[in-house]
Amino acid sequence: MSLRVAIQMDPIDSIDINGDSTFVLGLEAQKRGHALYHYLPQDLTMVDGRVVAYAHPMTLQREQNNHYEFGEGRWIDLLDDVDVVLMRQDPPFDMAYITATHLLEHVHPQTLVVNNPAEVRNAPEKLFVTKFADLMPPTLITCNKEQIDAFREKHKDIIVKPLFGNGGAGVFHIKPGDENLNSLIEMFSELYREPVMVQAYLPDVRKGDKRIILVDGKPAGAVNRIPAEGEARSNLHVGGQAAKTDLTPREQEICERIGPDLKARGMIFVGIDVIGDYLTEINVTSPTGIQEINRFNGACLEGDIWDAIESKFEK
């Protein structure tokens, strides 16, 4: 089977080839004989009802500072010229991102978009997870200061973060006695129109914030991310350290609960975050973590993902 694969992503020249999940997804597709195209989200276009993109044929190699080659760019029709679109640009989950999901919805499922663009639009990470509120830590989503004060009075130690942030940006740990909460809420209200998310602080984060990859609704691997000393965030790009891990019975239970819903929604590649016994986020926009898990477990998660994609065509 040979597929034509368009990767909608940010500029490829600056990626970290030793950490980027999109890179290894592209390498695996190429290894399987699939043709690759690269285009930027801003080059996604609708003209007379057809969705097209200015794309470059692309080849990849794991060679530092020489990891890709482009052919001559041209406009491609995402229905006629492409079999699979990987929607892999980074958040923020803003109106530009939402617009892209609307455009790609015009070609899916005739052209398979991973993940299903309509479901991606309906599943912003910090809101979609609330469908499984019983798996989450105590959580508040609000603009109301009285509600925030009452939540803090009850839980004492809290985390405050923007509802549509990503990568740990704007995440604050407000300890009991911290006098900065009011200033923080004022700052958030100036920067964002949306509510904020407030959660009870989970001390287990010191043991790590686990990223679990699910492929077509089934857990495929995990990596633990341990925050640096003096840091409440465990994201790898802000100093968190990756560590080998296995799934606990509780984490298996969480995956079994959410997996069927993800599969039914066409979410082929999903990353969830778990701290202690609690599910904190479901990442469906541009999940990461493949290469870290592969290195620790001798795995090939990108192969699992392509097996799932190819199975859609076999059916």
Side-chain angles (χ1 to χ4, degrees), residues 43-59:
D43 289 325
L44 187 65
T45 300
M46 175 175 275
V47 54
D48 295 332
R50 304 292 292 185
V51 180
V52 301
Y54 190 77
H56 293 267
M58 178 174 67
T59 57

Side-chain angles (χ1 to χ4, degrees), residues 260-274:
D261 196 321
L262 298 176
K263 183 178 176 67
R265 292 170 178 267
M267 303 291 199
I268 293 175
F269 177 20
V270 174
I272 67 171
D273 297 336
V274 178

Side-chain angles (χ1 to χ4, degrees), residues 118-195:
E119 294 297 344
V120 167
R121 184 172 64 250
N122 291 334
E125 272 98 57
K126 295 179 181 67
L127 286 174
F128 181 46
V129 67
T130 60
K131 284 178 58 67
F132 307 95
D134 60 309
L135 301 178
M136 297 178 66
T139 298
L140 170 72
I141 298 175
T142 188
C143 293
N144 186 275
K145 185 178 179 303
E146 290 182 5
Q147 288 281 352
I148 296 172
D149 288 342
F151 188 89
R152 187 189 191 189
E153 178 66 24
K154 180 177 181 179
H155 297 286
K156 311 302 182 187
D157 207 356
I158 61 173
I159 293 289
V160 182
K161 49 190 172 183
L163 199 54
F164 294 102
N166 67 290
V171 176
F172 290 85
H173 179 197
I174 303 296
K175 299 179 181 180
D178 192 317
E179 298 178 344
N180 291 305
L181 179 59
N182 289 340
S183 294
L184 177 62
I185 298 305
E186 290 171 6
M187 182 186 72
F188 271 33
S189 66
E190 292 175 1
L191 292 175
Y192 309 108
R193 295 178 59 192
E194 303 83 16

Side-chain angles (χ1 to χ4, degrees), residues 8 41-42 44-46 51 87 89 92-106 117-118 120-121:
Q8 176 177 306
Q42 56 264 38
L44 187 65
T45 300
M46 175 175 275
V51 180
M87 189 178 185
Q89 77 263 33
F93 192 81
D94 55 12
M95 288 308 299
Y97 207 110
I98 290 171
T99 300
T101 68
H102 280 289
L103 294 178
L104 290 176
E105 196 176 354
H106 283 268
V120 167
R121 184 172 64 250

